[in-house]
Amino acid sequence: MRIRSSVFACFCLILEVLGIALFLRGFFPVPIKSSFSSKSKLSDVPPEPFTGRSLNSSKVPDALFKRVVIVLIDALREDFVFGPNGRKYMPYIRHLVERGSTHSFVAKARPPTVTMPRIKALTTGSIPGFIDVVMNLNSPALLEDNLIWQAKAAGKRMVFYGDDTWVKLFPKHFMEYDGTTSFFVSDYTEVDNNVTRHLDSTLKRDDWDILILHYLGLDHIGHISGPHSSLIQPKLMEMDDILKKIHGSLILKEAEGALPYLLVLCGDHGMSETGSHGGSSEHEVNTPLVLISPAFKKKVGMEKPSTVEQVDLTPTLALGLGLPISQNSVGRLIQPVVDEASLRDQLRFLHLNGHQLSYLLKDSMPAYEKEEGYEQFRVAEKSHGNWVKLVVEGNTSEVLTNMGKKVFKQYLEALRAMSEALSKQLGKYDIYSMVVGMVLVFQLLLLLLLAMPEALSSASEVDLPVSSALLSLPFYLLCLLLSSVHVLVCTSAESSCYFCSLSWGLVFGAVALSSALLCILVSMAARRGAKPPGKSPSHGGVSGGWSLSELDILLLVGTAGHTLSLSASSFVEEEHQVWYFLLNTLCLVVFQDVCRKYFRERRANFGSLEDEDYILPSNEGDAVASPLADLGVMDAGSEKWLALATPPLTLACCRLLRSLNQTGVQWAHLPDLGHWLNSFEHKMVLSLFAALSLALIYFLVQRRCSWVSKIALALGLLGVYSYRAAVGNVVFPWQHGGGNMSKGTVEARFVYVFVLGILFTGSKDLLRSQVITADARLKSRGLWEIYSGVVLLVALLFRAHNLPVLCCCLLVQTLMAQFIWKKLHYDAAQTTIMHYWFGQAFFYFQGNSNSIATVDISVGFVGLESYVEAPAFFLTALSTYAGPLLWAAHLVCYLSSEKRSSVAVGHGCYCLALLRSVPAAAYVVLVTALRYHLFIWSVFSPKLLYESMHTLLTVAICLFFTTMEQSRRP
């Protein structure tokens, strides 16, 4: 069966997406959970390890606190309280930390450091996985055992104000609540005022036991302007005043002889040096935890806070309130909190915590009895029973006290060991689903590699032996064999597998597909080996086999080298360095090709216009639509020097963009040009840069549009600058004061109107060329207008200091297209790989990295007054992948303007599919091999999410490629 290479590439990519989805379903594990379906109850609490008749032996010790107020400040970094600026930012809390009745800790949050997983960790004591990042956009109700449910079951009256994620996770748990959306990050005042406005009336009342306040303003400031913004100090001082008010009210209401109160100050996660979060840097995982209560001894000076796990707060609050510990909690009691209790109560608290951890250990590890922590707990429990027996018998000797302290230390060591063992076991991997997805992806990669000579031939067709494969005996034997393996695995697997839960129809379809692919691979490999030398389809249509130039070798070796670099975590963290190196090397090789063409190959027809195919269409017909043409510099001599200048100019642009945004993990905190431009004293410089960038963007793009689109583009870019001025990033020349800055909603919507207008105009021209008349020039203009609309939208979403990135992207595209790809006669495969390399590099030039922390979610609310899920997700994804998207869109426009566009488009689509399949197959194999290593959760898991999104983007581009391809061969 012969099919076009573009259709074949789309088919492979779609199946690859399914394989990656199945792999991700198995890779992101099911969190550790107890086998008990019901939640913990007070009746389930084990007795003290003594069989006597003590009346209190089967009860939880009395509560330590009557009231608890939890003030959670989103994105509160540890150094904002305990650092050198702590006295300036939060003077009252810092005074309490140094001289008050407090306990201070640095609470470490596990990645992913985003809000919803962290709230789950604080309330359940479990460690959420990276799959919760996706669920963070739409938080479902939390059904597993948690502190909030336990408090409600015990009759505790709870009040909540703040982030509505709590309301979604715990519906009908609060007797009073007022939620605020956490995703509209442009607002950092109303989100906090909405919480504080309830505070005075609530503190005067006595009808609540637990008050939870979740403030969002600090997090939003971080997303907008970073941790060193001038807005940080006023916001932290506002939080300090609120804590002072709450603390003063609790002191006034404290009754003599009653149980004391507990005021908890904490953060759900920290804030990176760029103001975002989600990764595993120290500033993102280190959060302050300050416990304030008259039950604690007063401090005599500043002490270095000790480190605890964030999940340790869950059992501490549960025992402090007299509640059972959540079944799935992996946390351990924060021991200083119970220092003032009696030794018997302290041991009882530790015993309850150890009992809960030991049962969770049994459910999650088959060989739990061999775990060091479990053995230590059993020894401590036995010693505890002997100690309790002596206490009940009335022994009060000093030996008893020393024995109790020894038991206390044994419990602490056992809790530490069991908690660490459970934390390392992040979840249970679905290995079967991972293997099935990996096999499918790997089969598709081999299929693409075997079909490469045919797909890149002048015919641009692939001959797939589908009929012979489906009618062969090995196909049916493989189906039977794989079906037997499936039944064997699903009947013998100890844990549930997602693939086993599918219907037999879907499973048999997957089995038949895998068997057919394997038979096709064998047939194609045998056919390829049987062909005599020199008869295979040639690269570029030249007979006699493939001839590789220096550029071909670089493209092949570079792509393979990048794939190999994914096997090292440091290369994944600093992947941008690989792309920067490859891009610089590519420019040098291209420069060598230019020198060879213009100086070593002195062709008689050099510089003539007879054989040149100009790729930038204009409204005037066959005239050259290059910005340089209208300046009168497009003669043969100047063209030579402009071609020579293009690679060095590209190198200069890349070097400038490298300095604009520091990215990666290890050096992301270093200052860069972007920080310098965004500082208040350099606002005029940023304004000038932004204005010049927008003017050059218009100059580079407008030549490819109709006059209607030109006017819309000019007004749209003016609207972009007005939007940035409205939000305070840049200033107009006539502005002398700060004034009242708006949110820029009207200005952004003004730009959206012109974006939609340009896209509509381009789509209309494209549709006319495809349906009504076969006008290649009209089709080309429609594509370029759609591309211009995307450029305008990206200009609106990019921050002001990133507009030079967009400007350089368009400049490099124009110069390379005009003087390199066409003049040096690079074929579609070479051009596609270069577009892919440039797109990958520009992804990092934007400031992105393989950490979730660099995703700028604030762009999802440009022009919106409230959180709307669909446009917010679309705008955030578009801004994140703007670099690869613009280069892929330019590739579509470029190849569609070729004389033999059908062949060029087919080659481009096939090369894109192959470029995405090579790292995807290598990556799933690598991650499967490293699945038991803990570090992959902070390094490889975010990369998997990025790669899966990038693969989806490639599928969309290839589908668009295919629709643009002519139905018949030229």
Side-chain angles (χ1 to χ4, degrees):
M1 183 175 69
R2 302 189 68 86
I3 59 175
R4 303 288 291 175
S5 59
S6 58
V7 177
F8 172 69
C10 289
F11 171 76
C12 290
L13 268 179
I14 292 172
L15 290 181
E16 185 177 304
V17 168
L18 296 177
I20 293 177
L22 185 60
F23 179 86
L24 291 175
R25 178 60 177 81
F27 175 73
F28 289 116
V30 179
I32 295 175
K33 292 184 179 181
S34 173
S35 60
F36 296 102
S37 58
S38 60
K39 298 178 173 67
S40 297
K41 300 177 182 178
L42 286 174
S43 58
D44 300 329
V45 172
E48 280 185 308
F50 171 59
T51 56
R53 293 189 176 87
S54 175
L55 296 178
N56 295 327
S57 63
S58 61
K59 295 182 180 179
V60 176
D62 294 333
L64 300 177
F65 310 106
K66 179 182 180 182
R67 282 188 170 187
V68 174
V69 179
I70 301 175
V71 181
L72 193 157
I73 302 177
D74 210 294
L76 184 64
R77 283 186 4 176
E78 166 262 335
D79 58 330
F80 287 165
V81 178
F82 303 135
N85 293 324
R87 291 189 180 90
K88 180 174 63 174
Y89 288 163
M90 307 187 78
Y92 184 75
I93 291 299
R94 185 60 178 263
H95 171 74
L96 291 179
V97 168
E98 295 178 357
R99 301 288 179 179
S101 301
T102 62
H103 288 302
S104 305
F105 308 94
V106 174
K108 298 187 77 67
R110 293 294 185 96
T113 48
V114 291
T115 298
M116 193 274 281
R118 302 277 47 87
I119 294 176
K120 288 178 67 175
L122 286 168
T123 54
T124 65
S126 60
I127 300 177
F130 270 88
I131 194 64
D132 288 295
V133 175
V134 180
M135 298 172 63
N136 187 55
L137 298 174
N138 187 19
S139 308
L142 185 60
L143 301 179
E144 64 181 286
D145 197 2
N146 60 81
L147 181 66
I148 303 300
W149 186 90
Q150 292 291 349
K152 182 185 178 184
K156 303 289 184 183
R157 299 162 295 178
M158 293 176 289
V159 177
F160 170 78
Y161 304 117
D163 185 353
D164 62 356
T165 304
W166 289 79
V167 181
K168 296 176 183 178
L169 287 172
F170 310 107
K172 301 180 182 180
H173 284 67
F174 304 107
M175 73 170 194
E176 182 179 319
Y177 63 88
D178 187 6
T180 304
T181 180
S182 61
F183 291 104
F184 191 58
V185 297
S186 300
D187 174 24
Y188 54 85
T189 54
E190 291 300 321
V191 286
D192 288 346
N193 293 339
N194 190 55
V195 179
T196 307
R197 66 190 176 96
H198 300 284
L199 204 52
D200 290 333
S201 59
T202 304
L203 291 175
K204 292 177 183 178
R205 292 156 33 196
D206 293 323
D207 60 344
W208 55 268
D209 301 304
I210 300 175
L211 173 62
I212 303 175
L213 309 171
H214 189 150
Y215 284 94
L216 293 164
L218 182 66
D219 178 67
H220 291 187
I221 290 174
H223 284 295
I224 294 171
S225 53
H228 305 293
S229 167
S230 58
L231 301 172
I232 291 290
Q233 182 175 349
K235 176 56 65 175
L236 289 173
M237 292 184 70
E238 176 190 343
M239 297 293 101
D240 191 62
D241 291 337
I242 290 170
L243 287 160
K244 183 178 180 180
K245 177 191 290 188
I246 297 173
H247 189 217
S249 174
L250 293 174
I251 292 175
L252 291 176
K253 285 184 171 292
E254 186 180 3
E256 187 175 350
L259 288 175
Y261 61 83
L262 175 64
L263 174 59
V264 180
L265 168 63
C266 62
D268 55 346
H269 52 74
M271 183 190 301
S272 70
E273 284 299 301
T274 59
S276 190
H277 54 87
S280 57
S281 66
E282 284 194 12
H283 289 307
E284 292 171 87
V285 300
N286 288 345
T287 65
L289 175 61
V290 181
L291 307 176
I292 306 168
S293 175
F296 307 146
K297 288 183 179 179
K298 282 196 173 185
K299 298 287 184 65
V300 295
M302 181 65 183
E303 301 175 359
K304 183 179 179 180
S306 56
T307 300
V308 298
E309 294 290 333
Q310 194 180 60
V311 292
D312 294 344
L313 184 62
T314 304
T316 303
L317 289 179
L319 295 174
L321 290 169
L323 305 173
I325 301 174
S326 303
Q327 288 178 348
N328 303 319
S329 171
V330 299
R332 50 196 171 113
L333 177 68
I334 301 176
Q335 176 261 323
V337 175
V338 299
D339 274 351
E340 303 306 313
S342 65
L343 183 57
R344 183 174 183 179
D345 283 347
Q346 291 184 47
L347 293 177
R348 178 63 170 149
F349 286 136
L350 296 175
H351 173 250
L352 292 173
N353 194 184
H355 182 270
Q356 176 265 324
L357 289 176
S358 66
Y359 266 81
L360 186 59
L361 201 67
K362 289 180 182 180
D363 290 337
S364 58
M365 295 184 182
Y368 67 92
E369 293 180 344
K370 298 180 180 179
E371 285 293 326
E372 179 185 3
Y374 186 83
E375 295 177 357
Q376 290 175 336
F377 174 71
R378 287 305 176 201
V379 171
E381 190 177 38
K382 185 175 181 180
S383 301
H384 186 192
N386 295 331
W387 183 87
V388 171
K389 182 178 180 181
L390 294 175
V391 170
V392 171
E393 291 174 355
N395 193 322
T396 58
S397 65
E398 185 177 350
V399 176
L400 183 65
T401 303
N402 294 333
M403 182 180 176
K405 292 179 179 179
K406 182 180 178 181
V407 175
F408 187 85
K409 291 180 180 179
Q410 288 176 333
Y411 268 135
L412 289 179
E413 187 61 27
L415 293 180
R416 181 197 61 78
M418 286 192 292
S419 179
E420 289 180 356
L422 288 167
S423 298
K424 289 178 181 178
Q425 179 104 355
L426 284 175
K428 299 175 181 178
Y429 291 92
D430 184 355
I431 304 299
Y432 184 39
S433 299
M434 290 175 65
V435 170
V436 173
M438 179 182 65
V439 169
L440 181 59
V441 171
F442 200 72
Q443 283 180 325
L444 292 168
L445 172 61
L446 294 177
L447 187 63
L448 284 167
L449 290 175
L450 287 174
M452 183 167 58
E454 294 181 14
L456 296 182
S457 66
S458 57
S460 187
E461 290 183 345
V462 178
D463 185 12
L464 291 179
V466 177
S467 301
S468 59
L470 295 180
L471 297 177
S472 63
L473 180 61
F475 169 73
Y476 298 103
L477 293 178
L478 279 172
C479 288
L480 290 174
L481 177 62
L482 293 180
S483 299
S484 303
V485 171
H486 175 75
V487 173
L488 182 64
V489 170
C490 293
T491 54
S492 62
E494 296 181 359
S495 59
S496 60
C497 300
Y498 173 74
F499 200 66
C500 295
S501 64
L502 297 177
S503 64
W504 258 105
L506 292 176
V507 171
F508 185 76
V511 167
L513 175 63
S514 181
S515 302
L517 286 176
L518 188 56
C519 291
I520 291 173
L521 286 173
V522 173
S523 299
M524 292 183 70
R527 185 177 64 190
R528 194 74 60 233
K531 282 193 175 182
K535 296 296 184 182
S536 61
S538 60
H539 186 51
V542 179
S543 61
W546 286 18
S547 59
L548 296 179
S549 64
E550 294 93 333
L551 179 64
D552 294 326
I553 294 173
L554 171 65
L555 295 176
L556 292 174
V557 173
T559 303
H562 165 256
T563 303
L564 293 176
S565 72
L566 298 177
S567 61
S569 61
S570 57
F571 276 100
V572 174
E573 291 175 344
E574 309 298 326
E575 186 181 358
H576 60 286
Q577 302 286 5
V578 176
W579 288 114
Y580 294 167
F581 171 78
L582 292 177
L583 207 59
N584 293 342
T585 309
L586 176 64
C587 291
L588 295 176
V589 173
V590 169
F591 184 72
Q592 179 189 7
D593 278 358
V594 174
C595 292
R596 180 186 294 115
K597 175 179 177 61
Y598 285 100
F599 292 98
R600 294 182 58 186
E601 299 176 5
R602 302 187 177 276
R603 298 177 180 175
N605 61 344
F606 174 75
S608 66
L609 300 180
E610 298 175 1
D611 299 326
E612 300 295 343
D613 301 321
Y614 292 97
I615 64 166
L616 302 178
S618 69
N619 301 327
E620 289 78 14
D622 295 332
V624 179
S626 168
L628 300 173
D630 294 343
L631 298 179
V633 296
M634 283 299 294
D635 54 70
S638 58
E639 180 182 305
K640 174 179 68 175
W641 295 109
L642 285 171
L644 284 171
T646 295
L649 184 58
T650 303
L651 279 174
C653 288
C654 294
R655 187 62 190 89
L656 171 66
L657 297 182
R658 286 181 64 177
S659 303
L660 190 62
N661 293 299
Q662 284 284 359
T663 184
V665 175
Q666 299 182 24
W667 297 283
H669 62 282
L670 297 179
D672 50 40
L673 188 57
H675 285 97
W676 185 84
L677 289 172
N678 283 307
S679 60
F680 180 77
E681 58 269 20
H682 301 129
K683 183 176 286 189
M684 288 301 299
V685 179
L686 178 60
S687 303
L688 180 62
F689 265 95
L692 290 176
S693 298
L694 291 173
L696 188 55
I697 288 170
Y698 177 76
F699 179 70
L700 293 170
V701 173
Q702 56 90 21
R703 300 282 176 174
R704 303 159 183 174
C705 305
S706 63
W707 67 270
V708 176
S709 296
K710 289 180 182 180
I711 296 174
L713 182 64
L715 294 175
L717 292 173
L718 181 61
V720 170
Y721 191 90
S722 300
Y723 167 75
R724 286 299 161 191
V727 297
N729 299 138
V730 299
V731 294
F732 285 110
W734 54 84
Q735 283 183 328
H736 300 288
N740 293 324
M741 295 293 123
S742 69
K743 295 178 181 177
T745 305
V746 175
E747 292 83 355
R749 291 177 178 177
F750 177 80
V751 179
Y752 285 142
V753 171
F754 292 109
V755 170
L756 293 175
I758 295 173
L759 292 177
F760 175 78
T761 303
S763 301
K764 182 187 67 174
D765 290 344
L766 190 61
L767 191 62
R768 285 177 56 195
S769 69
Q770 295 293 104
V771 177
I772 300 176
T773 176
D775 189 345
R777 191 163 44 206
L778 187 63
K779 169 187 171 183
S780 182
R781 190 178 71 182
L783 285 173
W784 285 115
E785 285 185 333
I786 292 175
Y787 176 75
S788 302
V790 175
V791 169
L792 178 58
L793 180 57
V794 170
L796 175 65
L797 300 181
F798 269 18
R799 299 205 178 193
H801 77 277
N802 262 343
L803 287 175
V805 177
L806 178 58
C807 181
C808 289
C809 175
L810 299 175
L811 179 62
V812 172
Q813 287 175 354
T814 301
L815 293 176
M816 294 289 288
Q818 186 67 28
F819 302 110
I820 302 299
W821 295 319
K822 206 69 174 178
K823 300 296 181 182
L824 300 185
H825 305 288
Y826 288 155
D827 60 29
Q830 293 169 327
T831 307
T832 300
I833 298 176
M834 284 191 272
H835 273 81
Y836 178 80
W837 281 23
F838 274 106
Q840 291 288 332
F842 272 84
F843 174 81
Y844 296 103
F845 285 145
Q846 294 174 229
N848 294 320
S849 72
N850 287 326
S851 170
I852 299 174
T854 52
V855 176
D856 184 8
I857 65 172
S858 64
V859 300
F861 310 95
V862 174
L864 302 180
E865 291 183 343
S866 61
Y867 172 64
V868 186
E869 185 173 342
F873 179 81
F874 170 76
L875 294 176
T876 302
L878 177 63
S879 175
T880 303
Y881 292 98
L885 176 63
L886 287 176
W887 279 94
H890 184 271
L891 179 65
V892 174
C893 298
Y894 175 82
L895 294 183
S896 297
S897 62
E898 289 271 7
K899 276 187 175 181
R900 304 176 68 211
S901 61
S902 178
V903 175
V905 168
H907 288 181
C909 186
Y910 178 82
C911 288
L912 275 179
L914 187 59
L915 287 168
R916 291 308 305 159
S917 298
V918 171
Y923 211 63
V924 296
V925 173
L926 170 69
V927 172
T928 304
L930 297 177
R931 67 186 185 275
Y932 294 117
H933 291 259
L934 186 60
F935 74 91
I936 68 172
W937 283 103
S938 59
V939 178
F940 290 89
S941 295
K943 176 65 174 171
L944 267 176
L945 293 176
Y946 275 124
E947 288 297 305
S948 59
M949 287 294 294
H950 204 162
T951 306
L952 285 174
L953 175 64
T954 309
V955 171
I957 296 297
C958 277
L959 287 175
F960 192 76
F961 255 135
T962 307
T963 59
M964 290 298 101
E965 189 177 2
Q966 297 177 1
S967 59
R968 62 181 182 273
R969 294 168 60 181

